[in-house]
Amino acid sequence: MQTKLLEKIELAYENRDLEALDALAVPSFREINTKQNFASVLMLSCNNIKHLSKIQSLDADCIMLNLEDGVSLKDKPFALALCAIFISRIQKSDKKLVVRVNALNEGGYEEITYLNQFMPDAIRVPKIKDVKEVQNVLALLNEETELHLSIETSDSWHNLSSLCIDKRVTTFYLGVLDLFADMKLSQSLINRNNPTMLYILSHFLITCKSMNVKPVSFVYQEFKNTDEFSKWIELEKSMGYDAKGCISPAQVELVNKTFVNEEALIQRAKIIVRLFELHSSEGITGFVDEEYGFIDEPIYKGALALLENTND
């Protein structure tokens, strides 16, 4: 994003000038990212301009633009405008851009209606309860935008297997803290050896998989305790998970390292080698591929090295 535009945004926000922010939120066509192979889902608060300005440079596969938790009631209108501004400036991204709106009865419906014109890759609805609410959201939602659901209420858990009623419903997120609170279960049960916790993880995973819905495991709040976080993601990987919510760059790094899809990496490397050799035979050693981006000799050599190490 251009420095002058960023300065305008910061000034409008500092002056609490919502009208000026709204004027900077200009709808434009976006190419929707439909990929489902994301592993790390990083939460960003939409009232933090510094973080929003770094979206494209972050290592996370999926950016969760958060309008709900962590954004005060008085700041929510500004966060919504900022969210729209930054989405509208990213017309194509290899990162999945998902907006977590507020609960439907707390402004969620209105936020979805407003955001439709800015074409986020997906809308995530928190505290979903039942099929009727899913139907209501789908009736509002842009046809090209995916619907993601947070499973964090006892009602949503009870109705879990019935919530995928449309092909646009692609991803469920396990909100274990809110779920346990709503079920009146102690937070002390959230440990790697507890049978209730293991059942929750297993049931959520298998139910999602049976509906061809992507399951994303819960956010681990103690972001400084990377040792325990690593043990959680190793456990989840062994169970069959391939994605997890994150709240820090360190967590993102660990998730990306643990949930790496080796088969996909090998296939990608093979295609890059084939494309480079095809182009280089015509004297072209640097080009842009629609699917794999910019490819040159260093990238080609990196792909060769990966394949050689795989064959060792």
Side-chain angles (χ1 to χ4, degrees), residues 230-250:
S230 295
K231 292 174 183 177
W232 272 108
I233 54 179
E234 288 290 351
L235 169 64
E236 290 159 357
K237 181 181 180 180
S238 73
M239 298 177 76
Y241 281 93
D242 62 8
K244 188 170 181 67
C246 303
I247 54 175
S248 73

Side-chain angles (χ1 to χ4, degrees), residues 41-48 50-56 58 62-69 71 98 100 246-247:
V41 182
L42 180 62
M43 191 77 68
L44 291 186
S45 291
C46 285
N47 59 345
N48 190 319
K50 180 181 177 181
H51 290 172
L52 292 174
S53 67
K54 296 179 179 179
I55 286 175
Q56 291 290 67
L58 294 170
C62 174
I63 305 299
M64 187 62 58
L65 298 164
N66 184 32
L67 297 172
E68 192 200 14
D69 296 341
V71 180
V98 183
R100 182 168 79 162
C246 303
I247 54 175

Side-chain angles (χ1 to χ4, degrees), residues 9 12-14 16-19 21-22 25 44-49 52 55 64-88 98-102 107 111 114-115 118:
I9 294 169
Y13 180 68
E14 289 171 5
R16 312 304 284 172
D17 190 343
L18 187 56
E19 186 176 344
L21 286 176
D22 283 335
L44 291 186
S45 291
C46 285
N47 59 345
N48 190 319
I49 297 173
L52 292 174
I55 286 175
M64 187 62 58
L65 298 164
N66 184 32
L67 297 172
E68 192 200 14
D69 296 341
V71 180
S72 67
L73 187 61
K74 66 178 182 179
D75 222 22
K76 288 186 186 294
F78 297 93
L80 180 61
L82 289 170
C83 178
I85 291 170
F86 281 89
I87 288 176
S88 68
V98 183
V99 181
R100 182 168 79 162
V101 297
N102 285 280
E111 289 167 346
Y114 172 75
L115 288 168
F118 299 98

